[in-house]
Amino acid sequence: MRRIRSVKPSVRFPVSPVLLRRLAYASIIANVAIVVTGGAVRLTASGLGCPTWPRCTDESYTTTPEMGVHGVIEFGNRLLTFAVGVIALAVVLAVLAQRPRRRGLLPLAVGVLFGIPAQAVIGGFTVLTNLNPWVVGLHFLASMVVIAAAYALWRRTGEPDVPATPTVPAPLRTLAVLTTLVSAAVLVIGTWVTGSGPHAGDQGAARNGLDPESISQVHADGVFLLIGLSVALVFAFRAVGAGRATRAAVVLVAVELGQGLIGFVQYFTHLPAVLVAAHMLGSCLVLLATLAVLWSTRERRLVAPAPQPTRAPEPATAAA
């Protein structure tokens, strides 16, 4: 008699939406943290603590005692990249393990995962080019792109897979998009200001040749424009009764004012390292607050089916 093999059901480990959302939130925090630690590398003049890449020295992938504290700081920032990558990988695996599978989450999760090594490669070029200020600025902006993707992923984990519907009129959505573009432009110009300033990451690193005072004024003008647009969003959202969008715009204005205050104080106090680090953290917060405003202009909501009207009984049935 032929023996029939028993087929064991495949074991699956579905991931709860709460866990996935927490992992996505942790990814945002980790990517912001690596921006701040990267700033610490530059502000402590440790940008060439490991003088080559991908190795730390020509013979070793790790720092050596002869390299001192600068080597430890630079190598520590490189190690943090692996920690951020592990979190991003956990998010990808959590998205794949979800049942039912969420469409739209996987491209964002994979984008964050591959964005981290791409950002690390750009960081490697900053070392190989002896901290070229333009490459250093690109390194920072790449981190901003990864943070934006991580934020989008986190927001999508809390939304159903239905088409997005606007919560404000189309002109106000256009104004929110314009504010986002100006916010991005302010970030870009901020890297030019940094590239002209004294914190090069190493005493022998070159500067971008721009006049620090002039480019700082251009940056300040962009900040004033951004604050003006954000205040306009507050009043416009309130006028149409968009409560959620109004609250997001108020938070954005508060973050911008705090960031602007740090920027002015650091400029008139000759750029102390502590305030420069706080300003880098503030840049991340401005980006996240701007994205929150943009996200508040639309929503994804499940609509319950309309109840079917009850039919009146036939006259003959009623009589019976």
Side-chain angles (χ1 to χ4, degrees):
M1 184 176 181
R2 188 175 181 180
R3 187 176 179 180
I4 301 177
R5 295 182 179 180
S6 60
V7 179
K8 294 182 179 180
S10 60
V11 180
R12 293 180 179 179
F13 301 94
V15 175
S16 68
V18 175
L19 176 58
L20 175 59
R21 189 165 175 79
R22 289 177 178 175
L23 287 173
Y25 190 71
S27 181
I28 297 176
I29 296 176
N31 280 283
V32 171
I34 202 170
V35 170
V36 177
T37 58
V41 172
R42 179 171 57 85
L43 296 171
T44 58
S46 303
L48 295 178
C50 288
T52 187
W53 187 88
R55 295 174 182 243
C56 194
T57 67
D58 291 333
E59 295 80 19
S60 174
Y61 282 97
T62 62
T63 184
T64 60
E66 294 77 14
M67 301 171 70
V69 65
H70 295 301
V72 173
I73 294 174
E74 164 66 8
F75 183 69
N77 187 64
R78 294 187 182 189
L79 287 180
L80 185 58
T81 302
F82 290 98
V84 178
V86 168
I87 296 175
L89 177 61
V91 174
V92 172
L93 296 177
V95 170
L96 292 174
Q98 271 211 314
R99 296 295 184 271
R101 183 75 55 81
R102 294 284 309 278
R103 68 175 186 269
L105 295 186
L106 188 59
L108 289 172
V110 172
V112 173
L113 178 62
F114 282 94
I116 293 170
Q119 186 258 15
V121 170
I122 298 175
F125 277 108
T126 66
V127 175
L128 297 177
T129 58
N130 294 320
L131 304 181
N132 181 290
W134 301 107
V135 182
V136 172
L138 180 61
H139 184 47
F140 173 80
L141 294 176
S143 296
M144 295 295 103
V145 173
V146 176
I147 291 174
Y151 179 83
L153 174 63
W154 175 68
R155 292 301 298 259
R156 284 292 287 116
T157 58
E159 298 175 334
D161 289 328
V162 296
T165 57
T167 59
V168 298
L172 296 190
R173 275 190 56 83
T174 303
L175 182 59
V177 172
L178 177 61
T179 304
T180 304
L181 295 177
V182 172
S183 180
V186 168
L187 287 175
V188 173
I189 299 174
T191 63
W192 302 348
V193 176
T194 300
S196 68
H199 298 291
D202 187 79
Q203 294 181 355
R207 301 284 75 202
N208 58 20
L210 299 176
D211 179 60
E213 185 174 352
S214 300
I215 195 62
S216 295
Q217 184 60 56
V218 174
H219 182 59
D221 293 340
V223 171
F224 287 135
L225 176 60
L226 177 60
I227 294 176
L229 291 173
S230 302
V231 171
L233 282 175
V234 172
F235 288 102
F237 288 154
R238 183 172 295 177
V240 298
R244 186 165 67 98
T246 302
R247 290 189 294 270
V250 168
V251 172
L252 175 60
V253 172
V255 173
E256 290 169 348
L257 291 177
Q259 173 75 336
L261 177 62
I262 295 173
F264 277 108
V265 172
Q266 74 169 2
Y267 179 78
F268 289 108
T269 56
H270 305 290
L271 303 174
V274 174
L275 290 183
V276 174
H279 200 57
M280 293 186 67
L281 174 60
S283 299
C284 299
L285 297 181
V286 169
L287 172 65
L288 294 172
T290 304
L291 294 175
V293 171
L294 188 62
W295 222 269
S296 68
T297 60
R298 26 72 74 217
E299 65 178 358
R300 300 175 188 268
R301 181 180 299 180
L302 292 174
V303 180
Q308 297 295 329
T310 56
R311 298 179 59 184
E314 296 293 336
T317 306

